[in-house]
């Protein structure tokens, strides 16, 4: 059986982090442990009211004149487990194991995103062999639910103008920009009436889904909108909605939807259903080969009014969704919107939408389009908080340092902008002059059971990080 080498302090600290439950909004125990670490090592520290921690370490002797450096990682993780797992994320440690050189957690997510970065910082803070400028190590919370920890930081908390975000991966891959994002919630309070019509249950499943940043440009179907199309095209059958449930997160393209509805003409409904389903299959032969739609009989004593049904289906037919624009300069998606979740509770239907853009003006535009669609269809629209963008800059001294270190090992730096949101955007907002790179070891399947960290890469990346920091003392 493969074992972990705990003599490597970054490995040791990863296992220590794994012992402490630290899902989003449950980071206090881990935050307190990091504060205790700072006290034990006589390091300057600050902990805020939502449990972000900042630890400062002076420059290595002889490097005092080098510009300070921020190292940053988030300490919350996404809690996912198998359906039959009895793991309690509120109190149980993760059950780590090694297989074929990869680190896993049994039946759960691993938390390599971003425990691997937090462990690197703790190891560096006690590593007396490391040569580095003055360090500001920032451990943020609530990244996975909206970058909320980073957003709670204050400008006066940040002293350096260059930064290494350790929420990256790929060893020689760095991000160069990220998109702004805004969550929107559209609702409709509907009237209920007695139902005497046939009740049907429409299930959409088998779609590829995926992250609404990385997969939004892959022409994947949206299960919620497929269901709306099927029902809208069957209006002549006298459709009245009962309930709609679909999607799990606003940042994921929904792959599953279940709609309960009543109809006056079952035969016409079945005929229209078969025709629309075939049209969808013909239109998505490559991106959605496993698309499946099932129509079954159900039961319901009440249904929505015809007016409410029309308003909801009309909105789902016209709301902006999917890939909208590419940034041709750096070949990345520049504008998108994702109808991610639909839910019915009591007499209220809610739709959770996440829009992204590489420019604030473009994000404003798509939000306005969603709001207008809601208004015209008689639904209520509300915008939530925004994640700031990290705009691409063609010149970066930190990227040059990173590239030179890799060149010594015969490797080339790969620069990639992302359509997703990163904490880097928040730090760029706090200091527009901030020069940022992202960095990290190879890990896979983040946010899902089966998440894993490559241990050979974890070793290699730690050494590379130390080389980058030493090179930064000379620039």
């Amino acid at each position: 059986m493969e074992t972990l080498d705990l003599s490597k302090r970054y490995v040791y600290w990863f296992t220590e982090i794994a012992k402490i439950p630290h899902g989003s909004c449950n980071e206090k125990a881990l935050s307190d442990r990091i504060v205790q670490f700072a006290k034990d090592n006589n390091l300057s520290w600050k902990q805020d009211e939502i449990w972000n921690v900042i630890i400062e370490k002076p420059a290595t002797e002889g490097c005092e004149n080098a510009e300070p450096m921020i190292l940053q990682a988030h300490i919350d993780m996404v809690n996912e487990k198998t359906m039959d797992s009895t793991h309690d994320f509120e109190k149980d440690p993760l059950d780590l194991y090694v297989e074929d050189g990869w680190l896993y957690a049994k039946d759960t997510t691993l938390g390599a995103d971003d425990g691997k970065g937090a462990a690197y910082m703790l190891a560096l803070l006690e590593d007396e062999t490391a040569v580095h400028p003055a360090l500001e190590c920032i451990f943020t919370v609530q990244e996975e639910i909206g970058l909320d920890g980073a957003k709670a930081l204050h400008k006066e908390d940040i002293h350096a103008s260059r930064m290494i975000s350790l929420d990256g991966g790929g060893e020689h891959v760095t991000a160069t920009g990220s998109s702004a994002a805004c969550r929107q919630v559209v609702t409709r309070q509907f009237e209920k009436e007695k139902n005497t019509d046939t009740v049907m249950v429409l299930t959409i499943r088998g779609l590829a889904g995926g992250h609404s940043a990385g997969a939004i440009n892959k022409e994947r179907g949206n299960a919620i909108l497929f269901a709306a199309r099927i029902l809208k095209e069957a209006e002549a059958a006298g459709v009245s909605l009962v309930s709609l449930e679909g999607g799990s997160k606003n940042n994921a393209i929904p792959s599953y939807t279940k709609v309960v509805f009543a109809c006056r003409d079952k035969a016409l409904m079945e005929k229209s259903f078969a025709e629309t389903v075939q049209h969808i299959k013909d239109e998505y032969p490559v991106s959605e080969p496993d698309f499946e739609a099932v129509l079954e009989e159900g039961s319901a004593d009440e249904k929505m009014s015809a007016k409410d049904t029309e308003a909801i289906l009309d909105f789902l037919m016209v709301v902006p969704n999917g890939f909208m624009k590419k940034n041709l300069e750096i070949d990345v998606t520049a504008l998108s919107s994702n109808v991610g979740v639909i839910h019915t509770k009591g007499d209220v239907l809610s739709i959770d939408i996440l829009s992204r853009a590489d420019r604030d003006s473009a994000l404003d535009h798509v939000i306005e389009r969603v709001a207008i669609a809601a208004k015209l269809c008689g639904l209520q629209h509300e915008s939530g908080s925004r994640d700031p963008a990290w705009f691409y800059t063609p010149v970066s001294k930190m990227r040059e340092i990173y590239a030179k270190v890799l060149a010594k090992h015969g490797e080339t730096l790969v620069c990639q902008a992302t359509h997703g949101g990163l904490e880097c955007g928040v730090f760029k907002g706090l200091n527009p002059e901030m020069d940022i790179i992202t960095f990290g070891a190879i890990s896979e399947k983040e946010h899902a059971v089966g998440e894993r960290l490559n241990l050979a890469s974890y070793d290699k990346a730690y050494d590379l990080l130390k080389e980058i920091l030493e090179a930064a003392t000379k620039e």
Side-chain angles (χ1 to χ4, degrees):
M1 182 177 180
E2 298 174 75
T3 58
L4 289 167
D5 183 357
L6 299 183
S7 67
K8 300 171 182 175
R9 295 299 287 178
Y10 48 91
V11 175
Y12 167 80
W13 282 115
F14 190 96
T15 64
E16 289 298 296
I17 290 170
K19 292 176 183 178
I20 305 171
H22 56 283
S24 301
C25 299
N26 188 36
E27 306 100 329
K28 185 177 187 303
L30 179 53
S31 177
D32 289 344
R33 177 68 181 88
I34 292 169
V35 168
Q36 187 59 53
F37 165 88
K39 292 177 179 178
D40 293 342
N41 287 276
N42 298 313
L43 296 169
S44 174
W45 60 274
K46 176 182 179 180
Q47 182 184 43
D48 66 19
E49 63 278 2
I50 66 168
W51 313 320
N52 290 312
V53 179
I54 301 175
I55 301 177
E56 297 184 353
K57 183 178 181 180
T60 305
E61 185 176 353
C63 302
E64 294 86 354
N65 293 329
E67 184 182 346
M69 180 77 70
I70 293 171
L71 299 178
Q72 184 271 329
H74 65 87
I75 63 172
D76 61 320
M77 66 173 284
V78 172
N79 292 339
E80 292 288 343
K81 62 182 181 179
T82 60
M83 292 185 64
D84 57 351
S85 171
T86 60
H87 184 88
D88 186 342
F89 281 110
E90 295 296 313
K91 64 181 181 181
D92 294 339
L94 299 176
D95 186 2
L96 303 182
Y97 68 96
V98 181
E99 186 175 288
D100 297 328
W102 293 83
L103 180 62
Y104 299 83
K106 187 176 186 297
D107 295 334
T108 68
T109 38
L110 175 63
D113 176 16
D114 188 25
K116 67 182 189 294
Y120 271 174
M121 287 198 289
L122 293 170
L124 278 168
L125 285 168
E126 63 179 8
D127 190 342
E128 295 304 320
T129 70
V131 178
H132 55 78
L135 298 178
E136 296 178 59
C137 291
I138 303 178
F139 302 81
T140 53
V141 298
Q142 299 179 33
E143 187 270 351
E144 300 291 2
I145 57 172
L147 318 181
D148 291 346
K151 290 176 184 176
L153 295 171
H154 302 288
K155 191 171 184 177
E156 56 268 26
D157 293 328
I158 309 301
H159 305 119
S161 293
R162 52 184 186 169
M163 171 177 155
I164 303 174
S165 165
L166 296 171
D167 193 15
E171 295 175 3
H172 60 280
V173 178
T174 193
T176 58
S178 60
S179 289
C182 181
R183 179 195 179 197
Q184 302 156 82
V185 177
V186 175
T187 57
R188 171 87 176 196
Q189 186 170 11
F190 55 83
E191 296 179 2
K192 295 181 179 181
E193 56 187 36
K194 185 177 180 180
N195 176 53
T196 58
D197 295 332
T198 300
V199 175
M200 308 293 289
V201 179
L202 169 63
T203 303
I204 306 292
R205 60 195 180 201
L207 298 183
H211 197 282
S212 70
I216 203 72
N217 63 340
K218 300 184 184 300
E219 301 298 334
R220 293 181 180 173
N222 183 304
I224 295 170
L225 302 190
F226 278 1
R229 175 180 174 179
I230 289 169
L231 295 177
K232 188 66 180 177
E233 294 184 3
E235 272 187 323
V239 172
S240 295
L241 295 170
V242 176
S243 65
L244 299 92
E245 302 290 335
S248 59
K249 298 177 181 177
N250 61 21
N251 65 355
I253 302 169
S255 60
Y256 172 88
T257 297
K258 180 179 179 180
V259 183
V260 181
F261 65 97
C263 66
R264 291 192 300 271
D265 190 328
K266 179 183 176 184
L268 183 57
M269 178 68 226
E270 291 175 334
K271 180 177 183 295
S272 177
F273 165 80
E275 291 174 353
T276 304
V277 168
Q278 188 58 53
H279 291 160
I280 293 173
K281 289 182 177 180
D282 292 342
E283 293 165 17
Y284 293 83
V286 176
S287 60
E288 296 296 355
D290 299 320
F291 160 66
E292 184 179 5
V294 178
L295 191 63
E296 302 170 301
E297 287 200 32
S299 62
D301 296 328
E302 295 180 317
K303 62 183 179 181
M304 297 183 196
S305 69
K307 182 179 180 180
D308 290 314
T309 295
E310 182 179 30
I312 292 166
L313 291 181
D314 282 355
F315 174 77
L316 292 174
M317 291 293 288
V318 302
V319 61
N321 182 80
F323 171 84
M324 298 177 187
K325 182 177 178 289
K326 176 185 281 190
N327 183 324
L328 297 177
E329 181 183 11
I330 53 177
D331 192 28
V332 68
T333 301
L335 182 64
S336 73
S337 195
N338 182 59
V339 177
V341 182
I342 194 164
H343 178 60
T344 310
K345 184 176 182 179
D347 62 352
V348 176
L349 177 128
S350 63
I351 304 166
D352 200 342
I353 300 168
L354 186 66
S355 301
R356 303 178 189 270
D358 65 352
R359 290 290 185 270
D360 289 328
S361 58
L363 185 58
D364 290 338
H365 177 62
V366 73
I367 292 170
E368 184 66 12
R369 289 179 61 193
V370 174
I372 290 172
K375 180 180 179 180
L376 292 176
C377 296
L379 281 71
Q380 301 299 311
H381 173 269
E382 183 178 347
S383 291
S385 63
R386 292 167 68 133
D387 300 339
W390 169 26
F391 302 125
Y392 169 76
T393 54
V395 178
S396 164
K397 194 66 178 177
M398 285 300 299
R399 287 204 301 269
E400 292 176 11
I401 293 171
Y402 193 176
K404 288 177 182 177
V405 168
L406 287 174
K408 293 179 181 178
H409 299 275
E411 297 183 12
T412 301
L413 180 63
V414 176
C415 298
Q416 297 177 342
T418 175
H419 189 50
L422 297 176
E423 289 171 300
C424 300
V426 180
F427 283 91
K428 193 73 171 178
L430 291 169
N431 179 0
E433 302 303 314
M434 188 82 72
D435 188 0
I436 306 173
I437 59 171
T438 64
F439 176 86
I442 296 171
S443 59
E444 298 177 346
K445 301 182 181 180
E446 290 83 358
H447 300 188
V449 177
E451 179 184 9
R452 61 183 191 170
L453 173 63
N454 185 283
L455 292 173
S457 177
Y458 203 37
D459 293 340
K460 178 182 176 181
Y462 185 73
D463 291 336
L464 284 173
L465 179 58
K466 289 175 66 174
E467 288 187 55
I468 293 169
L469 288 172
E470 183 170 1
T473 65
K474 302 168 185 176
E475 299 287 345

